[in-house]
Amino acid sequence: MKTLKTIFLAICLSLVTAVTGYSQNHYQPTPENLEARRQFVNDRFGIFLHWGIYASYAQGEWYLNQGHLNKDEYAHAASAFYPAGYNAEEWVKAFKDAGAEYVTITSRHHDGFSMFDSKASDYNIVKATPWGKDVMKDLAEACLKEGMSLHFYYSILDWIREDFPLGESGHMTGRKGDHPDYDHYLAFMKDQVKELMTQYAPVRALWFDGYWDHKRDSIPFNWKMPEFYEYIHSVDPACLIGNNHHIQPIEGEDFQMFERDLPGQNTAGYSEGQKVSDKLPLEMCQTMNHTWGYSVSDRDYKTSEQLIATLAKAVSLNTNLLLNIGPRADGRLPDPALALLKEIGQWMRLNSKSIKGCGPDRRAGLGCDHRSASRRQDILSPRPEEPRRSLGDPCGQKVQDQVRGRIGRWLCHPVQKGGRQPIHHPSRRPPSPGLCDFRDNEIALPHQPSATGTLPLKKMSILENTAKSLSAYF
């Protein structure tokens, strides 16, 4: 009888291992997970959304902490939160027109307010606001309709719950901090992420933040991330996991992220000593202005040329760009953000084939879209006289040109008859004038000249400024 029981338990354990991909604490991604990674890499460009009741204060997403507000007073913003201008379909259309392929939105930030319908906490947009509607449901449906992938940001740090152990932030919010119970808090997080993954499926990725809040603890804090990740993959093995912890990837993570910096850089001060993974997909997140959440005083937006340059540089380093927008409390996207999206979209309509599905090398089976293998050498290809070790095949060997900090040299050909898009070919120079030649310090900007042989003045200005911006960037 004992032998039969042992065999039964062994079979159960093997089944769990087969489903989750975990064996003896070693994570092995499933084929579905690897496919999700490949799609993620091919997308290259996503939109980040920081939206919550903090938008009502219009002071950014950290206002509860930085404004030294009491959590109970801060919560009154929920009772007045009514985003009458919110239209998920309009949002997604604007993102799609800009050339983005996925959306990452804050489901719950450090202020503890859930922007989705949750049974685990009544402090959410459905139960605690006069709006009373599930904005995430609308967004998930709009993304599915437009073929955009949906990712959820989720804070593992909480400034209002008593069971979350006090870290470096959130000391002025009115918490007592005398009854920490991380196991209880972890169970709460498991409940909420399961709600996200099941209520708004398909969810391609979970984007965690807040790990750094305990980085200076005298006794290292145990976040129990491997346990958390194993649970997530037991719910959906294909779901990608990333964590904005600014350290090396933890067992169970599926992509590595960098805040306000490209891999290998540390200009923002978050990535000191953070080595770049050569096995996981990479993503950098960047703001359009300075703050992540909406700030009425932050009008210092980057130019479209600067943002395009960042996107092109990211792709040259085999990295996705997650570009942030902070929606207003009324549910509308800020006008400057919409204007930038339109200009980026204008550029992407001419150059998306040099962005999507492109990259300098294959990482763990990732890289170019193999469904388009016939044009692998169309993008990021060297001149004939250059050694093929440089940029021969974006799905092939690792690029050494990235050390020199540039994309490479592209050649482009005119639009073919029948409406085909321009291609970038390694073998010969463009056969006609009016088309660009990507050199050391220029960006490929293929276009068809107008009847007068030039682009309209406004469009030419955008393209010329982009080339100048890229020249300075590289």
Side-chain angles (χ1 to χ4, degrees), residues 17 133 138 151 162 244 252 254 291 354 375 393 438 447 460 467 471:
T17 299
K133 302 173 187 177
D138 295 337
H151 300 186
E162 292 292 347
N244 188 37
D254 301 298
T291 58
S354 298
R375 60 181 183 86
D393 182 350
F438 180 75
H447 62 271
M460 180 65 80
S471 178

Side-chain angles (χ1 to χ4, degrees), residues 143-161:
C143 285
L144 190 62
K145 180 180 177 181
E146 292 293 333
M148 295 192 76
S149 295
L150 179 62
H151 300 186
F152 282 123
Y153 168 110
Y154 185 87
S155 173
I156 59 175
L157 155 66
D158 194 297
W159 288 332
I160 67 171
R161 289 181 62 97

Side-chain angles (χ1 to χ4, degrees), residues 384-401:
E385 66 270 21
E386 287 189 340
R388 294 199 64 79
R389 64 171 178 81
S390 296
L391 293 164
D393 182 350
C395 292
Q397 58 190 350
K398 190 171 183 177
V399 172
Q400 297 184 22
D401 267 346

Side-chain angles (χ1 to χ4, degrees), residues 436-448:
C436 58
D437 184 4
F438 180 75
R439 307 285 177 144
D440 288 354
N441 297 310
E442 298 174 340
I443 185 67
L445 300 171
H447 62 271
Q448 285 181 300

